[in-house]
């Protein structure tokens, strides 16, 4: 092995060792950086939780509002219908006697 | 073990050198190790000739003439230390006739790009070329000799003086010790520019490694999901769905429950009221009918019993359809 070849081999080994070390450190740094921030799964879970909470709250509010706004009219209509039906039933009952 | 008699194939020249009677002879030990001396390579020959031809001290021409007769002792030589032997009858130089010293010139190996790669010391012992010590500037020692074309011989830095062996006794000393003697401080060193370049390269490598690591860390962090945006989206979606469903559910419940409650609130009373009214009307109708029948019957009876007059002058009553006065 010539001196140039041996020198080149040594330099190549050192370069490969340095490159390997840098690569390993870079992978470790990437993993650390990746683990230090929220992932897509975390965002998905957060979205689902927020959606569920907002759904329940909106459902309750809107349901109460719609219930209140429709109850009175329905009560009036029901009362009228009840009067009509009751009158008919009463007439029928009276006729049956 | 260092006895030359144990080396039967070594004879002639080496044997003569071993027995060469000189005051500071170390030939015995040298011969003991020099089993296979060999001629100089063309490269080494050229290197020595280049050095000695450019040397400027007295006796240099004789040393140059000795190059053709010296042999290398490979058993005790390496890339840095080149140990030579030659026949004792070879004409001696006037330089270092009594001791062992280096040639006074400074011999440098300067590469074409101007860097000093090595310094060469040529040792002369009692007028004979004895060794060549190549002191490389770098940490690594090349396995080949320097290029003769790169030899630069400058005048001596210090005046030439013989470095006489410490003792003139007959104790044998390996020839390798020639190069182990204290040598002056290497006048060459890495040029400041080259050193700075190495430092710069090291710093660049460190900076590059740091940049790569920092880039990898940033790349890892760049994959972060936007939790706030996802949460906001979830709130928006949940609110929309909850609003729609709540309106439907609330309307259905309100309409249903309101209608039922309203119906229940009036049904029973209406039944009772209507029934009572109907019964009352039926009773009234029956009574009216009965009264009408009674009146009609009474009228009929009265009419049948009462006399009919054209004019009612005798009684109170009424006039019938035919014009008769009916007394009641």
């Amino acid at each position: 092995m010539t001196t140039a070849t041996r020198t080149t081999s040594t330099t190549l080994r050192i370069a490969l060792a340095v490159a390997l070390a840098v690569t390993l450190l870079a992978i470790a740094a990437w993993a650390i950086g990746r683990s230090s921030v929220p992932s897509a799964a975390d965002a998905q879970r957060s979205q689902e939780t927020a959606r569920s909470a907002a759904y329940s709250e909106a459902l309750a509010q809107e349901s109460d509002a719609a219930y209140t706004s429709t109850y009175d009219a329905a009560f009036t209509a029901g009362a009228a219908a009840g009067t009509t039906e009751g009158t008919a039933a009463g007439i029928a009952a009276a006729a049956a006697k | 073990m260092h006895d030359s008699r144990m080396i039967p194939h070594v004879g002639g020249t080496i044997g003569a050198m071993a027995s060469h009677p000189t005051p500071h002879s170390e030939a015995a030990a040298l011969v003991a190790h020099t089993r296979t001396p060999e001629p100089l390579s063309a490269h080494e020959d050229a290197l020595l000739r280049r050095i000695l031809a450019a040397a400027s001290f007295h006796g240099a021409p004789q040393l140059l003439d000795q190059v053709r007769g010296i042999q290398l002792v490979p058993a005790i030589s390496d890339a840095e230390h080149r140990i030579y032997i030659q026949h004792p009858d070879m004409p001696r130089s006037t330089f270092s006739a009594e001791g062992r010293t280096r040639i006074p010139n400074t011999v440098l190996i300067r590469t074409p790009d101007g860097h000093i790669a090595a310094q060469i010391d040529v040792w002369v012992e009692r007028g004979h070329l004895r060794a060549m010590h190549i002191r490389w500037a770098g940490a690594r020692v090349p396995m080949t000799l320097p290029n003769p074309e790169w030899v630069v011989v400058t005048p001596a830095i210090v005046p030439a003086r013989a470095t006489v062996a410490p003792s003139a006794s007959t104790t044998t000393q390996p020839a390798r010790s020639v190069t182990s003697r204290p040598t002056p401080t290497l006048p060459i060193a890495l040029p400041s520019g080259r050193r700075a370049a190495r430092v710069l390269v090291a710093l660049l490598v460190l900076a590059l490694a740091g940049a790569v690591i920092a880039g990898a860390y940033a790349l890892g962090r760049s994959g972060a999901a936007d939790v706030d945006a996802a949460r906001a989206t979830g709130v928006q979606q949940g609110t929309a769905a909850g609003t729609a469903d709540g309106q439907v559910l609330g309307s259905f419940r309100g309409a249903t429950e309101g209608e039922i409650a309203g119906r229940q609130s009036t049904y029973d009373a209406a039944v009772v009221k209507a029934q009572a009214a109907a019964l009352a009307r039926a009773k009234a109708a029956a009574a009216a009918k009965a009264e009408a029948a009674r009146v009609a019957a009474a009228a009929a009876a009265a009419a049948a019993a009462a006399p009919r007059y054209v004019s009612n002058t005798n009684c109170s009553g009424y006039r019938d359809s035919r014009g008769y006065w009916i007394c009641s």
Side-chain angles (χ1 to χ4, degrees):
Chain A
M1 178 182 290
T2 63
T3 301
T5 303
R6 191 168 62 177
T7 302
T8 302
S9 178
T10 302
T11 303
L12 186 59
R13 281 199 300 270
I14 294 173
L16 288 175
V18 171
L20 180 61
V22 171
T23 302
L24 292 177
L25 288 175
I27 292 173
W30 179 85
I32 292 173
R34 187 68 187 87
S35 62
S36 65
V37 294
S39 63
D42 297 334
Q44 181 68 22
R45 284 192 295 271
S46 178
Q47 179 177 355
E48 292 176 355
T49 302
R51 176 174 180 170
S52 177
Y55 179 84
S56 299
E57 184 178 357
L59 180 67
Q61 290 179 355
E62 291 298 325
S63 177
D64 290 343
Y67 183 90
T68 302
S69 63
T70 57
Y71 184 88
D72 295 339
F75 187 90
T76 302
T83 300
T84 302
E85 294 176 359
T87 299
I91 292 173
K97 287 184 179 179
Chain B
M1 183 174 178
H2 291 181
D3 190 348
S4 62
R5 291 174 299 178
M6 297 178 65
I7 312 171
H9 68 278
V10 176
T13 302
I14 299 178
M17 186 170 182
S19 60
H20 184 56
T22 54
H24 310 291
S25 176
E26 298 170 358
L30 179 63
V31 170
H33 293 83
T34 56
R35 298 185 181 184
T36 55
E38 59 187 26
L40 299 184
S41 65
H43 191 162
E44 190 165 1
D45 183 276
L47 181 62
L48 275 174
R49 288 183 182 278
R50 183 70 176 255
I51 295 171
L52 295 173
S56 58
F57 58 91
H58 66 89
Q62 291 87 349
L63 294 176
L64 178 61
D65 188 60
Q66 291 175 10
V67 173
R68 61 182 173 83
I70 63 175
Q71 288 185 305
L72 177 70
V73 186
I76 54 175
S77 297
D78 56 25
E80 293 180 277
H81 310 94
R82 314 296 291 179
I83 311 302
Y84 306 122
I85 61 172
Q86 57 187 303
H87 196 280
D89 294 338
M90 178 69 71
R92 296 178 183 273
S93 169
T94 56
F95 179 76
S96 186
E98 298 298 331
R100 182 171 59 213
T101 185
R102 290 165 293 177
I103 64 173
N105 293 88
T106 299
V107 182
L108 301 176
I109 301 298
R110 188 185 297 276
T111 60
D113 56 359
H115 294 157
I116 296 176
Q119 178 177 345
I120 297 178
D121 294 334
V122 177
W123 288 82
V124 179
E125 186 178 34
R126 293 184 297 279
H128 276 175
L129 282 173
R130 189 56 181 275
M132 179 168 63
H133 182 193
I134 305 169
R135 293 188 285 163
W136 293 94
R140 291 190 299 271
V141 178
M143 295 302 293
T144 58
L145 296 175
N147 189 343
E149 299 296 327
W150 296 352
V151 169
V152 176
V153 178
T154 62
I157 298 176
V158 295
R161 65 180 186 274
T163 304
V164 180
S167 172
S169 65
T170 56
T171 55
T172 59
Q173 183 178 2
R176 183 74 175 257
S177 64
V178 169
T179 57
S180 63
R181 287 174 175 272
T183 55
T185 303
L186 189 64
I188 62 174
L190 283 175
S192 57
R194 187 176 178 185
R195 200 160 44 230
R198 286 188 176 182
V199 173
L200 182 59
V201 169
L203 291 177
L204 286 176
V205 170
L206 286 176
L208 181 61
V212 169
I213 294 171
Y217 181 76
L219 182 63
R221 288 187 62 85
S222 66
D226 192 349
V227 177
D228 293 336
R231 186 181 296 113
T233 302
V235 169
Q236 185 177 4
Q237 293 176 350
T239 301
T243 299
D245 292 349
Q247 287 176 352
V248 173
L249 180 62
S251 298
F252 176 76
R253 289 180 54 205
T256 304
E257 295 180 5
E259 183 179 0
I260 293 173
R263 190 184 300 270
Q264 289 178 347
S265 66
T266 59
Y267 181 81
D268 294 340
V271 168
V272 173
K273 184 179 179 181
Q275 188 174 8
L279 290 175
R281 283 196 300 272
K283 286 181 179 179
K289 186 176 180 181
E291 180 63 19
R294 186 190 64 82
V295 170
R308 293 181 175 87
Y309 301 99
V310 177
S311 62
N312 184 14
T313 57
N314 296 320
C315 61
S316 58
Y318 62 93
R319 194 177 297 275
D320 65 1
S321 57
R322 290 178 298 181
Y324 294 104
W325 182 261
I326 304 302
C327 294
S328 56

